[in-house]
Amino acid sequence: QVQLVESGGGSVQAGGSLRLSCAVSGIPYTKRCMAWFRQAPGKEREGVAGIHTLFGRDGSTSYADSVKGRFTISQEYARNTLYLQMNSLKPEDTAMYYCAADPSCGGARPSLYSYDYNYWGPGTQVTVSS
């Protein structure tokens, strides 16, 4: 049974940092794509960052232009956990953040389109105040 559970959200002032975690179960880390998405009230869900795993090793990554240079996606295979390190946070980063998984991951680069992902966590709220 696949399960994704996010944690690490909270409230922070602009310029601060947070690290989100996503505990993954039921999906082997030998081959998959994992990603973080976010959705602000009244807005569509958008892809933030993605990472491709092949043969149990990190492959390519993808980032939304709005977070490049500020956010970093990573994995810890021993704990089967996905992370999103968020630095230099801005009020516009305020949203519910979701972890997503695609076990088939056909492309070479991880997609940032929500329809490419089969499994989702319940989300964790990030609020950035100015």
Side-chain angles (χ1 to χ4, degrees):
Q1 182 178 356
V2 175
Q3 190 172 22
L4 307 176
V5 180
E6 304 94 337
S7 61
S11 297
V12 64
Q13 289 192 329
S17 298
L18 283 174
R19 187 176 79 157
L20 305 184
S21 300
C22 175
V24 182
S25 59
I27 301 177
Y29 55 76
T30 49
K31 177 180 179 291
R32 69 189 185 191
C33 279
M34 301 292 300
W36 289 97
F37 288 78
R38 67 186 181 187
Q39 188 167 19
K43 294 188 177 181
E44 292 188 355
R45 188 169 296 189
E46 64 169 339
V48 174
I51 188 166
H52 181 223
T53 299
L54 190 61
F55 304 121
R57 296 182 179 181
D58 286 350
S60 56
T61 55
S62 298
Y63 291 94
D65 288 343
S66 59
V67 306
K68 281 181 181 176
R70 300 189 299 123
F71 290 11
T72 303
I73 189 170
S74 63
Q75 299 186 92
E76 184 177 353
Y77 292 108
R79 296 188 176 188
N80 207 1
T81 300
L82 178 73
Y83 298 103
L84 184 67
Q85 178 65 44
M86 306 186 295
N87 299 326
S88 302
L89 282 161
K90 304 175 180 180
E92 51 263 43
D93 293 319
T94 295
M96 184 71 79
Y97 282 71
Y98 300 91
C99 169
D102 171 15
S104 60
C105 198
R109 295 190 65 84
S111 166
L112 293 183
Y113 294 103
S114 58
Y115 53 71
D116 283 327
Y117 291 84
N118 316 88
Y119 301 99
W120 295 83
T124 186
Q125 177 68 37
V126 172
T127 303
V128 185
S129 58
S130 58

